[in-house]
Amino acid sequence: MVLRITSWNVNGIRNPFGYQPWRDKRTYDGMFEILEADIVVMQETKIQRKDLRDDMVLVPGWDCYFSLPKHKKGYSGVAIYTKQSVCAPIRAEEGITGRLQPPNASIPYIDLPEDQQIGGYPTEDQLGWSAVDAAVVDSEGRCVILEFPALVLIGVYCPANRDETRDDFRLGFLNALDARVRNLTAIGKRVFLTGDLNISREEIDAAHAEEQLKKHEIDGESFVCTPARRLFNQLLEGGKVIGDRDEGREHPVLWDICRGFHPGRKGMYTCWEQKINARPGNYGARIDYVLCSIEMKDWFCDSNIQEGLMGSDHCPVYATIRDAVSLPDCEEEIPILDLMNPPGTFVSGKRLREYSMKDIPALSGKLIQEFDRRRSIRDMFTKKPSSVTAKGAGMAPDSIPASIDTSSTVASPLKQLEFGPVQSPTSSQQPSKPASPAKPNGSQVSLSDSATTSPIAKGNLKRSSANHTSSSRPLKRGKSNGTSAAPAANGAGGKGGQQSLKGFFAPKAAIASNSSLPAPEILPTKKTKSGSLEELSPERDTARTLVPIELPATPERAPLAATDGPCSPVDLPKPSESPSALTSPTVHDPIVSKESWSKLFTKRATPLCEGHSEPCISLLTKKAGVNCGRSFWMCARPLGPSGGKERGTQWRCQTFIWCSDWNGGNTGGGGGGGR
């Protein structure tokens, strides 16, 4: 039985489920079945501990190990899944330097006894030249290390070359990784390094290499002499190193498995930029690797990339170990199952004992507090509920006295809300104190003694008290009948306000024609002695509340209306609101207004590209400069293998138009300034 190790930068641990073929099952065991892998190393999981769910931790038949960022949210992250029927690690660690602490422990990995640690930790001298502290290197969740009897598996997600502010951290991480791999090899352990290293080895591993050489006017030697690329090539057998090797890196220790099986293959890329849709044209780079110790070269029978599997901006890359391998101390080959499980689990390829929880290292996700010793759903439905639940409810149904009318208590909740909780029969022997009405400020007088209140009354005491409090507060005064009748005169439906956009385009002449209608009644309110508000009826206060429009708004009448009652001067019509003011000689044509608004909100026609006469796409310039933030049109087709705009081909043409320069015609045009 062969063993396959697959590495995949998933760009979010749930991201693949939005694509085929993963969206059919949407489970991790289903994903691993399609990958046909026994060990899956994921990078860029982009989750924190609080984001872990049952489906990603309690995967049937699989163990999992996570390295999550300590501070940044939705950033980085590495996870390794191992198939229980094939392999089981004997030790597991998080981080490269060994300065992190195991779960539920206060001692870092580097200070553990030798039989409990993987070993090979970078020394202070090896980390001394870096400007980044060792604890900071392991703070972003970029490495998980598993040890099997056959090898030490290192799953990493190296920092990318984004900008100059991260150069020190990136080189510090790569230096610590190089030291850890060399130290493990020096103590006699075989190493399998895999993951997203964010480094392309040589020009053959990057489609943009030729473009960069021309842009920066450098040759191929300068391309491989960048600090990160030089460090990486010194680690690999056959790596291109210009000049003398660095001190401590005199000899290579790892072998590039995938390139070893496909030495001259071009276009073997594992990552493509999604912003420019570069994957269809295979304009990418090979930055995901499967590497092993040089002495393990004959262990592998196959290695390749799976560029046809969608779900991320990266594709999976795998390496397959033969079913039996040779060791220096043994004349016969040993089954790989014997070497990928704890001693005594497999002998001669046959299982002698079953997998148990004792075989799980402390870093396993199944031992996280939220997932440890979880009950299955079947147990939740088969076990009988305990009687403590019934006691905790206050009183069992059978223990309720027969003298209590439970039907009335349950069937008439309105009485409880209005008069308070129901009193038990035992309290009838003593003179009960009726509940006092609520005070004006919202408080309530205490009820009868709690010792004489039945359990049912206790349960409803808080609810009834809250309802008394809320009901005793003064209600907000609503609109009077006079004001509510005003909108009815304006619209046919009796509703106030504008009912549709057509009303906005109606000419003012129509409004002026309705101005002859009588003004609505204004019913004021006054305060009573008790402090409540009372509406004045139209019969009693017609003289004070009806203000005819025909009366001129003279200064002599205004003070009389203001002092004659509770109505304030603001309730009276202003001189500007007279019928003559409502009639305006300016009339807006609804057709012209409609056309103006249509031109304003109608989406402009999309230009067609020059090369294919197809609709363009609109993008936003994010590059710093004078054009940052400007939108432009360009050909919607993907970028070709050359990485540039082509003429007369099936790939992206040279159409480029600034959105501000586009007048909404039907044909496209090139040019439009630089970006």
Side-chain angles (χ1 to χ4, degrees):
M1 179 181 180
V2 297
L3 186 143
R4 174 180 287 191
I5 304 176
T6 298
S7 174
W8 192 12
N9 183 322
V10 293
N11 193 22
I13 194 169
R14 293 191 179 276
N15 188 52
F17 293 137
Y19 300 82
Q20 288 290 359
W22 325 108
R23 67 171 56 156
D24 293 336
K25 294 185 177 180
R26 303 184 69 88
T27 60
Y28 290 96
D29 53 342
M31 176 193 296
F32 304 152
E33 182 180 354
I34 295 175
L35 291 173
E36 299 180 351
D38 302 301
I39 299 177
V40 180
V41 184
M42 293 183 177
Q43 302 91 43
E44 214 169 350
T45 55
K46 296 183 178 181
I47 58 172
Q48 291 181 298
R49 177 168 173 173
K50 64 180 182 62
D51 301 321
L52 294 174
R53 297 293 182 265
D54 290 1
D55 61 333
M56 66 178 64
V57 176
L58 305 177
V59 182
W62 292 78
D63 282 332
C64 56
Y65 306 86
F66 295 94
S67 178
L68 306 175
K70 303 298 183 294
H71 307 292
K72 296 185 178 181
K73 298 180 180 180
Y75 181 80
S76 185
V78 174
I80 299 182
Y81 289 84
T82 59
K83 196 173 185 178
Q84 297 174 354
S85 61
V86 178
C87 57
I90 56 178
R91 297 181 187 90
E93 293 182 3
E94 179 186 5
I96 299 176
T97 63
R99 270 64 175 180
L100 297 180
Q101 299 173 355
N104 303 322
S106 58
I107 303 175
Y109 291 107
I110 194 172
D111 295 333
L112 293 176
E114 292 186 2
D115 59 340
Q116 299 180 16
Q117 62 178 214
I118 296 178
Y121 306 105
T123 62
E124 295 295 337
D125 294 337
Q126 291 174 323
L127 298 175
W129 73 272
S130 176
V132 182
D133 186 74
V136 177
V137 171
D138 289 333
S139 65
E140 295 187 356
R142 293 183 175 273
C143 181
V144 174
I145 303 178
L146 304 182
E147 182 178 6
F148 302 87
L151 52 87
V152 175
L153 172 64
I154 304 178
V156 296
Y157 173 52
C158 295
N161 186 21
R162 300 296 183 190
D163 51 60
E164 296 180 356
T165 60
R166 297 276 291 174
D167 285 348
D168 291 340
F169 179 81
R170 186 183 188 220
L171 293 177
F173 185 91
L174 293 174
N175 177 70
L177 179 62
D178 176 84
R180 185 70 184 270
V181 172
R182 292 183 181 275
N183 293 347
L184 287 171
T185 304
I187 62 179
K189 294 188 177 182
R190 292 173 288 271
V191 178
F192 187 96
L193 174 63
T194 184
D196 179 5
L197 303 184
N198 270 309
I199 303 174
S200 52
R201 269 184 67 178
E202 302 174 6
E203 299 93 320
I204 193 176
D205 298 310
H208 65 276
E210 184 178 355
E211 179 183 351
Q212 286 190 348
L213 295 179
K214 293 180 180 179
K215 181 178 180 180
H216 300 286
E217 297 181 356
I218 58 177
D219 54 5
E221 292 184 357
S222 301
F223 180 80
V224 298
C225 284
T226 57
R229 194 169 285 115
R230 174 180 172 83
L231 190 153
F232 183 50
N233 277 312
Q234 291 184 88
L235 191 65
L236 299 177
E237 182 184 45
K240 186 182 293 186
V241 180
I242 307 300
D244 297 335
R245 287 178 170 266
D246 300 340
E247 183 180 355
R249 299 169 181 149
E250 292 82 4
H251 305 285
V253 294
L254 296 180
W255 179 59
D256 189 349
I257 306 174
C258 198
R259 180 57 71 186
F261 279 90
H262 311 277
R265 179 179 171 183
K266 295 183 179 181
M268 190 170 61
Y269 306 136
T270 62
C271 178
W272 304 266
E273 189 175 352
Q274 288 183 323
K275 294 181 180 179
I276 60 176
N277 195 17
R279 188 164 186 171
N282 196 26
Y283 183 75
R286 187 172 78 99
I287 59 178
D288 302 86
Y289 296 88
V290 281
L291 314 173
C292 70
S293 297
I294 297 177
E295 61 182 274
M296 298 172 58
K297 291 172 63 174
D298 58 347
W299 282 28
F300 296 89
C301 59
D302 185 25
S303 180
N304 207 339
I305 65 173
Q306 296 176 285
E307 68 274 18
L309 291 178
M310 309 299 290
S312 171
D313 56 341
H314 295 245
C315 76
V317 54
Y318 69 88
T320 304
I321 303 178
R322 296 188 293 112
D323 57 351
V325 298
S326 59
L327 297 178
D329 301 336
C330 301
E331 297 180 357
E332 298 181 356
E333 292 186 343
I334 301 177
I336 191 61
L337 295 179
D338 296 4
L339 301 176
M340 294 298 292
N341 288 274
T345 304
F346 279 87
V347 176
S348 299
K350 296 182 179 180
R351 180 181 289 274
L352 298 184
R353 66 180 183 90
E354 293 297 328
Y355 184 85
S356 64
M357 295 294 293
K358 298 180 180 179
D359 299 324
I360 301 180
L363 189 64
S364 173
K366 292 187 175 181
L367 297 183
I368 298 177
Q369 183 178 4
E370 299 91 296
F371 306 97
D372 186 19
R373 300 177 182 179
R374 291 278 298 274
R375 288 195 309 163
S376 64
I377 296 180
R378 181 179 301 176
D379 294 339
M380 295 172 62
F381 288 101
T382 54
K383 292 184 179 180
K384 296 181 179 180
S386 59
S387 59
V388 181
T389 307
K391 295 180 181 179
M395 192 173 187
D398 297 338
S399 60
I400 300 177
S403 58
I404 299 179
D405 188 3
T406 58
S407 61
S408 62
T409 304
V410 179
S412 58
L414 295 178
K415 290 186 177 181
Q416 296 184 25
L417 296 178
E418 183 176 1
F419 301 106
V422 181
Q423 300 294 332
S424 62
T426 57
S427 62
S428 61
Q429 299 174 2
Q430 301 177 0
S432 60
K433 300 178 181 180
S436 301
K439 294 183 179 181
N441 60 356
S443 61
Q444 182 180 356
V445 181
S446 60
L447 302 176
S448 60
D449 190 86
S450 60
T452 62
T453 306
S454 65
I456 300 179
K458 289 182 180 180
N460 294 328
L461 180 59
K462 186 175 181 181
R463 182 185 302 177
S464 63
S465 176
N467 283 275
H468 274 283
T469 303
S470 61
S471 61
S472 61
R473 295 175 181 173
L475 298 177
K476 185 176 180 181
R477 181 172 65 90
K479 294 184 178 180
S480 60
N481 295 334
T483 57
S484 62
N490 297 334
K495 297 182 180 179
Q498 181 177 306
Q499 300 301 314
S500 64
L501 282 176
K502 294 182 179 179
F504 181 81
F505 298 107
K508 287 188 176 181
I511 302 177
S513 62
N514 297 331
S515 61
S516 60
L517 296 176
E521 294 182 357
I522 303 175
L523 297 182
T525 57
K526 67 178 181 178
K527 279 190 176 182
T528 61
K529 293 183 179 181
S530 60
S532 61
L533 297 176
E534 178 184 1
E535 287 188 353
L536 299 178
S537 62
E539 293 78 5
R540 289 188 303 169
D541 300 280
T542 304
R544 289 185 293 177
T545 58
L546 294 181
V547 182
I549 288 181
E550 291 77 14
L551 291 178
T554 59
E556 293 78 14
R557 293 181 181 270
L560 293 176
T563 57
D564 195 21
C567 186
S568 61
V570 296
D571 295 327
L572 299 176
K574 299 179 181 179
S576 60
E577 297 175 352
S578 60
S580 60
L582 294 177
T583 306
S584 174
T586 305
V587 177
H588 295 281
D589 188 356
I591 300 178
V592 177
S593 301
K594 183 177 181 181
E595 292 178 354
S596 302
W597 283 100
S598 299
K599 291 180 180 179
L600 181 63
F601 290 106
T602 301
K603 189 176 180 180
R604 290 187 179 182
T606 303
L608 304 180
C609 66
E610 293 180 342
H612 315 97
S613 297
E614 297 176 353
C616 297
I617 57 173
S618 177
L619 300 177
L620 186 68
T621 304
K622 297 183 179 180
K623 185 177 180 180
V626 295
N627 292 322
C628 183
R630 294 186 64 185
S631 300
F632 60 92
W633 297 99
M634 65 181 302
C635 180
R637 292 203 176 190
L639 206 62
S642 63
K645 299 178 181 179
E646 304 176 3
R647 185 184 298 272
T649 64
Q650 61 176 336
W651 307 110
R652 180 175 298 170
C653 64
Q654 299 179 346
T655 303
F656 180 86
I657 311 170
W658 289 114
C659 291
S660 57
D661 299 338
W662 175 242
N663 57 7
N666 295 327
T667 59
R675 295 170 60 184

